[in-house]
Amino acid sequence: MEKTKYVERDIPEISLANFEQRIDEITAQLVSAAENVGFFSIADHGISADDIETMFGTSESFFSLPDEVKATVPWNPQNVGWEKMSQVRPSTGAPDTKESYQLQFGENMKGLWMSDSHVPGFRENCLAFMQRVQKVSERLMICFARGLGFPDDFFLKVHDTTRPNSQSVMRLLHYYATPETNDGTIHHRAGAHADWGFLTILFQREGQSGLEICPGRDVVTEFALGDKWTKVDLKAGDIICNIGDLLMSWSDDRFKSTFHRVKAPCEPGDYYGERYSIAFFNQPCKDAVIQGPKKKYPEVTGEQFTANAMKTYFAALKAKRESGIPLGIYEAGQDDMGSLRAVGCGYHACICGTLRKPTLEFVRRHFYIQARPLLQNITLKKQALDASLNHHATSFPYYSGHHPTNHQGQPTDKPVSKKPSNTTAPDHLRSDVYATRGPLKTKFGSTPRTARANASTPHLPYLSNMGVNFSKLEETADDALGFGKTFARSFGQNVQIALWTSIVLMIFISVALAGIAVILWRMLLILEFVFSAYKREMKRAKQK
Ligand SMILES: O=C(O)CCC(=O)C(=O)O
Ligand SMILES: [Fe+2]
């Protein structure tokens, strides 16, 4: 196997100590790091080692829960929730050997927080940590705004995590330990990619190494040049930051979003054990308007940007399916998953429709009742597949399926199955090929926006690791969505009709009751009159 080429690169360490007094110096250092490497470490950031370790402890408690419990908070395209071995990087064409749980501050998290009964204090601990990381991010944002000639609060306003439409994400990551085999099998951890968000802040645990960078991107629509990697070794207590594609385009390509990976261990000295990391992705609120000072790229909103990135999920998965590459081991269960998502989409549409609190509760409960048997079915299938995978642990062509790649994400010429080895992902989706084959500078796509969307990291939803039939899923999801919307609309109309009818009825009944009361009162008066007349007549008769 070809040895990885390494090169020493200076990854700047920048101290945030005495931030207010040193802001100009810090800004200069950050801008230089962003323009040259795209990666830097931060010291004196104000988050204590204890806080970081406590967060890792909480993350470990979450990941040690059974899969069927974690599956109750599944990933969805709002970029929240849990997924397992479902993120296919175009560079490798195979899912990363990891699980992750994405958490946000705002409304996207509805129903997706793991309950305290499973991990005590989970939500509270995570949110407290997220606030701390947000504070560090805000300092960096002020400096980057200054560096680009924007007002100090320019990026702060659009990354306000107190707003319900905030999209910033904390991602807890857990890479599984991989076997130290020598048979060329690659267990991808995080295949080479550039982050598609604004700014990433990464926490790693000492000793759990593997993060590597490959800089050299000139414009956000192109891949990196060269094939030389640099290991990112971290000083205890420091945190790692990197520029994402969004900030690269927002800075008209001045700041660099650098390719990086968590190396698939395969060489002496590599770390094969479990790895936990925590990434905090700063993302603008949905209504943020994004355009660089020189307007190099078309204007786009935060919501559109996320939607583009999410589309890439589906595009990459579709391309992978169409190219005939199996999606990994989880081919079974696709119909279940399709229908589960469809049910979810339908109900989601209902929930987002006209329904209000009590009805919403009813719909939710109803959804869980419908979804539970499907989930159980899927879990059983998955357990069976896991068991068979463990059984064949060393010989099974694992996640690379019929598309073996080496540790740099390049296809190897040794097919692992009877299928032809040319069933690789389309070249335009194989960023790592460009990233590592250089000097090959390739532009693709006619518009920068499309190209940028292609270059972003595709995540696959948790559910897709089952090999969901996407065209079918989309159809059923569309149907369900249509149903959901119609249901929500007609439900809303019915509620309105019912309300008006009851108001009219109540008025009618009140008028009728009032009428009856008047009649009764009149009758009483008449009776009283007749009775007193009768009494008077009787009295007169007696007197006579
Ligand atoms: O786990 C890591 O250290 C890196 C993760 C990463 O690059 C990502 O999730 O984008
Ligand atoms: Fe990343």
Side-chain angles (χ1 to χ4, degrees), residues 87 89 171 173 175 190 193 195 202 204 211 260 262 275 277 279 281:
Q87 186 169 7
R89 311 276 183 179
R171 185 179 206 197
L173 290 135
Y175 301 87
H193 65 280
D195 291 347
L202 185 75
Q204 303 176 89
L211 184 65
H260 56 283
V262 179
R275 172 185 161 91
S277 62
F281 300 107

Side-chain angles (χ1 to χ4, degrees), residues 179-191:
E180 276 190 58
T181 53
N182 212 1
D183 61 359
T185 312
I186 301 299
H187 302 279
H188 295 286
R189 292 205 142 179

Side-chain angles (χ1 to χ4, degrees), residues 20 42 103 217 261 266 299 315 356 367 459 475 486 533:
E20 271 77 28
I42 296 285
L103 309 165
R217 258 170 122 200
R261 67 179 182 187
C266 60
E299 208 176 81
R356 296 267 172 263
F367 166 52
H459 300 227
E475 260 171 46
T486 323

Side-chain angles (χ1 to χ4, degrees), residues 85 92-95 97 179 181 183-188 320 325-331 385 388-405 412 414-419:
M85 293 187 288
T92 63
T97 317
T181 53
D183 61 359
T185 312
I186 301 299
H187 302 279
H188 295 286
K320 192 162 159 53
I325 309 160
L327 272 166
I329 55 162
Y330 292 130
E331 283 290 332
L385 284 161
S388 88
L389 177 68
N390 287 338
H391 185 65
H392 299 293
T394 48
S395 57
F396 199 84
Y398 215 23
Y399 306 110
S400 43
H402 303 292
H403 166 50
T405 54
T412 65
K414 189 171 71 103
V416 292
S417 81
K418 286 176 221 95
K419 282 219 173 175

